[in-house]
Amino acid sequence: MQSESRVVALVATGGTIAGTAARGDDLVGYDAGALSAEQLTAAVPALAGEALETWTLARLDSCDLGHATWALLLRELQSRLARPEFAGIVVTHGTDTLEETAWFLHRTLAAPKPVVLTAAMRPASAPSPDGPQNLLDAVRLAREPGARGVLVAFGGKVYAGSELRKLHGWQLDAFSAGDAGAVALVEDGAFRRLRDWPAPELHPAPVGEVPPGRWPRVEIVTSHAGASGRIVDALVADGVQGLVIAGTGNGTVHTALREAAARALAAGVAVVRASRCLAGGVVGTTDGALPHYGAATPAQARIELMLDLLARRA
Ligand code: SIN
């Protein structure tokens, strides 16, 4: 269903895009999420007079994001998507966990209209913030005829929500979609599509029906030189339900960690692997190797395993 409407719903959740510093030239020491949704849109003159419905859902530094915020966001987005007056939705967010929220929504939100996440690397108080342009691109994308699904508008590119990864800690061009590349480029306010809009891939887990406090506990453990596996034993003793091992290279896992993973599996804990490399994920498998979720980053694999465990429990 593609709405005829031009109204865009805009929800602010915090992040650097809404961050302000005491000194304008301070690009590091700022309060993420200081500004409301209204203040964010007021800073973009090109949005003046546009049909927007804004609301401030959270004022988080996204490193503090929790499952309760996801559950709330999912519910709010579902109710807005059902309203015919909205062409699409924009979500402003911190960059630090953007790849996680994008994956979570891609797997849990039926989005026949565009749901566009956006963010910024420079706070709103910077001499030359990147947030206003990203926000403008996101609003335009939310109205783009034919667009659908969970998308990310950032730095003049459009990414599929399921393919996003943050690559850089502070440079402006901080994101990539790995080998998949961007879905579209923003060219003077228009979108040049490089491939089809991403198809929906909804996970069957009944995530909206289970309170976030009861979502399965899944933790990430990294494989590295000198790994002992003791952290896995400690997590199993502490009641963890799933583990993602962020492996080296193509998802290889230190022998000590593999042995600990075998003990975890024997104790009924689900264990998968991912790659700690910045691109490529994990391809192929060998006899007895732990399962993996392909190109998903370790943080995205954590969500996927949580959803799998939730579906298995249902
Ligand atoms: C955050 O993720 O909330 C802070 C960092 C950022 O948005 O770049």
Side-chain angles (χ1 to χ4, degrees):
M1 178 190 63
Q2 188 69 42
S3 171
E4 296 294 306
S5 171
R6 302 281 297 162
V7 185
V8 171
L10 190 150
V11 53
T13 68
T16 296
I17 191 167
T20 57
R23 265 192 11 247
D25 62 346
D26 188 347
L27 301 184
V28 178
Y30 53 85
D31 288 332
L35 302 182
S36 65
E38 292 72 26
Q39 288 170 308
L40 283 177
T41 51
V44 186
L47 289 178
E50 293 276 346
L52 293 174
E53 181 186 293
T54 55
W55 84 106
T56 306
L57 180 131
R59 290 168 178 257
L60 280 173
D61 185 320
S62 80
C63 73
D64 288 328
L65 189 65
H67 293 170
T69 303
W70 275 348
L72 178 62
L73 181 63
L74 181 60
R75 217 172 38 241
E76 294 284 333
L77 294 181
Q78 280 167 334
S79 83
R80 264 128 181 129
L81 280 170
R83 285 167 50 186
E85 67 267 33
F86 291 124
I89 304 182
V90 170
V91 181
T92 59
H93 197 286
T95 63
D96 285 351
T97 52
L98 191 60
E99 75 185 47
E100 296 176 57
T101 297
W103 182 283
F104 174 76
L105 292 177
H106 173 70
R107 298 294 275 146
T108 58
L109 181 67
K113 306 171 188 178
V115 173
V116 187
L117 308 186
T118 195
M121 290 301 286
R122 289 184 182 152
S125 52
S128 173
D130 52 329
Q133 183 65 55
N134 288 345
L135 187 57
L136 181 59
D137 291 345
V139 170
R140 286 175 171 158
L141 182 58
R143 291 199 184 111
E144 177 71 0
R148 61 174 177 161
V150 177
L151 302 166
V152 179
F154 193 93
K157 294 185 183 131
V158 178
Y159 300 103
S162 59
E163 292 166 350
L164 191 76
R165 53 198 59 218
K166 188 173 181 185
L167 291 189
H168 206 285
W170 48 267
Q171 280 183 357
L172 277 189
D173 193 12
F175 286 93
S176 157
D179 298 325
V183 174
L185 302 177
V186 189
E187 291 179 344
D188 193 24
F191 298 96
R192 177 156 67 89
R193 207 143 45 76
L194 304 175
R195 55 195 167 97
D196 285 345
W197 299 113
E201 294 174 308
L202 277 188
H203 196 287
V207 69
E209 294 154 34
V210 179
R214 295 191 42 236
W215 293 0
R217 179 173 161 218
V218 179
E219 304 271 357
I220 302 172
V221 171
T222 302
S223 186
H224 53 85
S228 73
R230 268 178 280 166
I231 192 163
V232 170
D233 297 328
L235 285 167
V236 173
D238 195 46
V240 78
Q241 291 155 289
L243 286 171
V244 176
I245 301 189
T248 37
N250 187 32
T252 49
V253 178
H254 191 293
T255 300
L257 217 43
R258 274 211 317 273
E259 289 167 357
R263 293 193 290 277
L265 286 166
V269 174
V271 188
V272 302
R273 65 200 164 104
S275 172
R276 63 179 218 190
C277 291
L278 295 185
V282 182
V283 294
T285 192
T286 52
D287 279 352
L290 293 164
H292 62 81
Y293 296 116
T297 66
Q300 293 166 337
R302 191 195 74 82
I303 299 166
E304 195 65 16
L305 181 56
M306 187 173 75
L307 295 175
D308 280 354
L309 291 174
L310 205 49
R312 260 181 244 166
R313 201 201 267 168

